[in-house]
Amino acid sequence: MEILQNDLLLRAARGEQVERVPVWMMRQAGRILPEYRAVREKAGSFIQLATNPELAAEVTIQPVDILGVDAAIIFSDILVIPEAMGLPYLMEEKVGPIFPEVIKTMADVDKLIVSDPEVELKYVLDAIRIVKKELNGRVPLIGFAGAPFTLLCYMIEGRGSKTFSKAKKYLYSEPELSHALLQKITDSTIAYLKAQVAAGANLVQIFDSWAGILSPEQYRIYSLPYIAQICDAITEVPVTVFAKGAFFAREEMGKLNCETIGLDWNMDIAESRTLIGDSKTLQGNLDPCVLYGSFDEIKKQTRSMIQQFGGQKYIANLGHGVYPDTDPEKVKCFIDTVKEYSL
């Protein structure tokens, strides 16, 4: 059994009593830090950085050292799963991910493999092992994966989109293909997250970044059942589900076999607690744009947020990833304010 010097995040996730609120941030290992940009430059590209275990480990640990967060999150990308299944992607500057090949037919789905993480995703697992060694029990390490529906969006659309209308079209016109693809992604994701845990991840988060583009009915058919399969399969460590924009599914999320539900900044805190129930820990949900405000404004908004969540069964975070042009000092102000808040 690993002994952690700071296990606040894990205790909060499990619903145990904490002496202060734990805090981390989505996209904390990234462009806000000049130290990250220096390593990224050395690597040559985002993908070369993400696939180099030593460098990925280095940028994973930076926020722990520089910002003082209560957890590290492995530096990687949700799109490593499609790539491991046989659908590689490119990361174009100022454009984002591009898939040269996309899923069009059932034959394309049949060609995909259920990936073996120790083979196709060994570089992520190696990075986790290095991070664990370097952290030496200072804070927990969070592993993660994209939710199956969010990955389907990219695998059919081929790039980012505001509407993902091409991908959504398949849900209505090719339901059989959609379900077959989602199941294959789910099977790969379960194996991947279990491998992350075996390599040392203390907690895992499922990111459903495009949940908000679906209607409530479509979300119940094409997203929740697959997230539920993942939650049911990961029994070794606490699981967090973060579905951006899925305000309509909070009650169902309360029934998932996971420990923590992440809220975005559009989700009212008191209403969310009522809908989700008292059995889950909640995570979130400061608007990332608050960090553009003055130091006093950041402190005021952060304290107000903690007050509304209450100090227990709560992990402080933003309601989405930190924006790349945010001043690291403002980020530090947010983190310090959480840490100084007396319960």
Side-chain angles (χ1 to χ4, degrees), residues 8-79:
L8 279 170
L9 185 97
L10 288 179
R11 281 192 283 141
R14 292 192 294 250
E16 295 167 14
Q17 200 74 10
V18 290
E19 48 286 0
R20 76 161 170 84
V21 172
V23 58
W24 70 282
M25 282 186 327
M26 293 180 271
R27 294 205 199 115
Q28 63 187 20
R31 289 174 290 179
I32 52 162
L33 296 175
E35 293 86 348
Y36 163 84
R37 291 196 292 271
V39 179
R40 156 94 184 243
E41 209 169 305
K42 185 163 76 174
S45 74
F46 172 86
I47 288 180
Q48 282 170 295
L49 171 52
T51 52
N52 180 314
E54 287 76 18
L55 297 182
E58 187 180 341
V59 296
T60 297
I61 295 167
Q62 281 174 350
V64 179
D65 295 335
I66 299 160
L67 303 171
V69 285
D70 291 312
I73 180 164
I74 193 65
F75 181 81
S76 186
D77 194 271
I78 62 170
L79 300 179

Side-chain angles (χ1 to χ4, degrees), residues 48-343:
Q48 282 170 295
L49 171 52
T51 52
N52 180 314
E54 287 76 18
L55 297 182
E58 187 180 341
V59 296
T60 297
I61 295 167
Q62 281 174 350
V64 179
D65 295 335
I66 299 160
L67 303 171
V69 285
D70 291 312
I73 180 164
I74 193 65
F75 181 81
S76 186
D77 194 271
I78 62 170
L79 300 179
V80 298
I81 278 281
E83 180 157 74
M85 292 171 71
L87 210 66
Y89 71 105
L90 313 165
M91 192 63 86
E92 286 191 14
E93 281 298 327
K94 297 187 172 61
V95 177
I98 303 282
F99 283 85
E101 302 285 323
V102 293
I103 299 296
K104 291 179 181 154
T105 64
M106 193 60 104
D108 296 332
V109 176
D110 292 340
K111 272 194 299 198
L112 295 171
I113 62 163
V114 171
S115 58
D116 176 349
E118 284 291 357
V119 179
E120 288 88 13
L121 293 161
K122 187 174 182 292
Y123 59 90
V124 181
L125 307 179
D126 285 346
I128 289 174
R129 293 178 189 114
I130 295 167
V131 169
K132 291 300 289 186
K133 201 169 161 224
E134 299 281 319
L135 278 177
N136 198 19
R138 280 194 290 157
V139 293
L141 175 64
I142 302 167
F144 73 90
F149 171 70
T150 285
L151 297 185
L152 171 143
C153 283
Y154 287 102
M155 292 168 84
I156 292 177
E157 198 89 21
R159 58 177 58 225
S161 160
K162 283 191 172 68
T163 60
F164 282 102
S165 53
K166 199 187 289 183
K168 273 176 73 178
K169 178 177 85 176
Y170 271 70
L171 307 184
Y172 292 100
S173 62
E174 300 278 358
E176 200 185 327
L177 179 152
S178 301
H179 282 298
L181 177 54
L182 286 163
Q183 191 56 57
K184 236 173 190 180
I185 297 168
T186 301
D187 295 342
S188 289
T189 302
I190 289 170
Y192 178 44
L193 288 175
K194 281 191 170 290
Q196 288 188 39
V197 172
N202 302 97
L203 181 141
V204 295
Q205 177 155 316
I206 301 162
F207 284 88
D208 206 357
S209 310
W210 299 112
I213 66 167
L214 287 177
S215 69
E217 186 194 7
Q218 292 291 82
Y219 197 69
R220 282 179 202 115
I221 297 168
Y222 290 104
S223 188
L224 273 174
Y226 298 99
I227 291 176
Q229 280 187 48
I230 298 168
C231 291
D232 291 346
I234 308 298
T235 53
E236 305 87 340
V237 297
V239 176
T240 300
V241 175
F242 174 66
K244 188 170 184 300
F247 63 91
F248 47 77
R250 284 172 291 175
E251 203 170 335
E252 288 100 321
M253 283 182 182
K255 299 183 179 83
L256 286 170
N257 198 0
C258 68
E259 283 67 26
T260 302
I261 302 291
L263 306 181
D264 67 37
W265 70 91
N266 291 315
M267 296 176 183
D268 180 79
I269 295 167
E271 182 188 55
S272 298
R273 179 49 87 192
T274 304
L275 289 168
I276 292 164
D278 290 328
S279 65
K280 302 273 186 251
T281 292
L282 298 181
Q283 175 177 280
N285 73 338
L286 195 74
D287 183 344
C289 286
V290 167
L291 302 185
Y292 293 128
S294 66
F295 289 100
D296 283 345
E297 185 63 20
I298 293 166
K299 287 176 189 170
K300 187 182 104 182
Q301 295 282 348
T302 303
R303 289 186 192 122
S304 162
M305 173 182 75
I306 301 172
Q307 218 167 350
Q308 290 175 72
F309 275 104
Q312 303 299 332
K313 285 193 177 173
Y314 172 53
I315 296 165
N317 205 316
L318 304 179
H320 197 222
V322 62
Y323 297 135
D325 61 344
T326 309
D327 176 353
E329 288 306 314
K330 300 278 180 82
V331 171
K332 204 157 176 1
C333 173
F334 162 66
I335 290 158
D336 290 344
T337 305
V338 176
K339 289 163 85 169
E340 287 156 12
Y341 189 95
S342 55
L343 295 181

